[in-house]
């Protein structure tokens, strides 16, 4: 689940609502990309410090490269979770329509 329009979680900056973000444009990660990137998709060359936007782009590319997008619900905000048997019940709200669903 990601409440945003695109993959990235807190790293995503909505171009239509830049006030609704946890990061600022031009900021840099405090950990180099060799530590921050997934072990199965390491960047070539020496380590460097990504900007927040570069890291968000990396996450988008990763989601495409490994066909993960079919497992991600964009514009869906988790509003409640409850342990249920061996799993979880998740209630989420569509950010565009306001409709809540449960699974």
């Amino acid at each position: 689940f990601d409440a945003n329009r695109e993959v990235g979680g807190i790293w995503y900056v909505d171009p239509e609502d830049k006030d609704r973000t946890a990061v600022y444009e031009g900021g840099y990660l405090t950990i180099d990309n060799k530590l921050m990137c997934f072990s199965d998709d390491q960047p070539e060359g020496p380590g460097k410090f990504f900007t927040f936007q570069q890291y968000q782009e990396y996450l988008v590319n990763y989601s495409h490269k490994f066909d993960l997008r079919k497992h991600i619900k964009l514009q869906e905000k988790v509003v409640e979770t409850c342990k249920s048997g061996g799993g979880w019940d998740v209630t989420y709200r569509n950010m565009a329509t306001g409709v809540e669903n449960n699974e």
Side-chain angles (χ1 to χ4, degrees), residues 31-35 37 42-50:
I31 300 172
D32 78 38
N33 62 352
K34 298 294 184 178
L35 295 172
C37 292
Q42 287 286 305
E44 295 292 323
K48 67 178 187 175
F49 292 88
F50 280 158

Side-chain angles (χ1 to χ4, degrees), residues 64-78:
H64 285 291
K65 182 176 183 177
F66 293 96
D67 198 27
L68 299 174
R69 295 179 78 82
K70 63 187 173 195
H71 303 290
I72 300 169
K73 294 182 184 300
L74 293 173
Q75 287 195 284
E76 301 287 356
K77 181 179 182 174
V78 173

Side-chain angles (χ1 to χ4, degrees), residues 30-90:
T30 58
I31 300 172
D32 78 38
N33 62 352
K34 298 294 184 178
L35 295 172
M36 195 71 171
C37 292
F38 299 109
S39 62
D40 58 354
D41 192 34
Q42 287 286 305
E44 295 292 323
K48 67 178 187 175
F49 292 88
F50 280 158
T51 65
F52 299 149
Q53 287 72 30
Q54 287 172 320
Y55 186 64
Q56 190 265 332
E57 289 171 16
Y58 167 81
L59 295 173
V60 169
N61 292 336
Y62 187 91
S63 73
H64 285 291
K65 182 176 183 177
F66 293 96
D67 198 27
L68 299 174
R69 295 179 78 82
K70 63 187 173 195
H71 303 290
I72 300 169
K73 294 182 184 300
L74 293 173
Q75 287 195 284
E76 301 287 356
K77 181 179 182 174
V78 173
V79 294
E80 184 178 16
T81 60
C82 182
K83 191 140 179 81
S84 175
W88 292 86
D89 285 334
V90 179

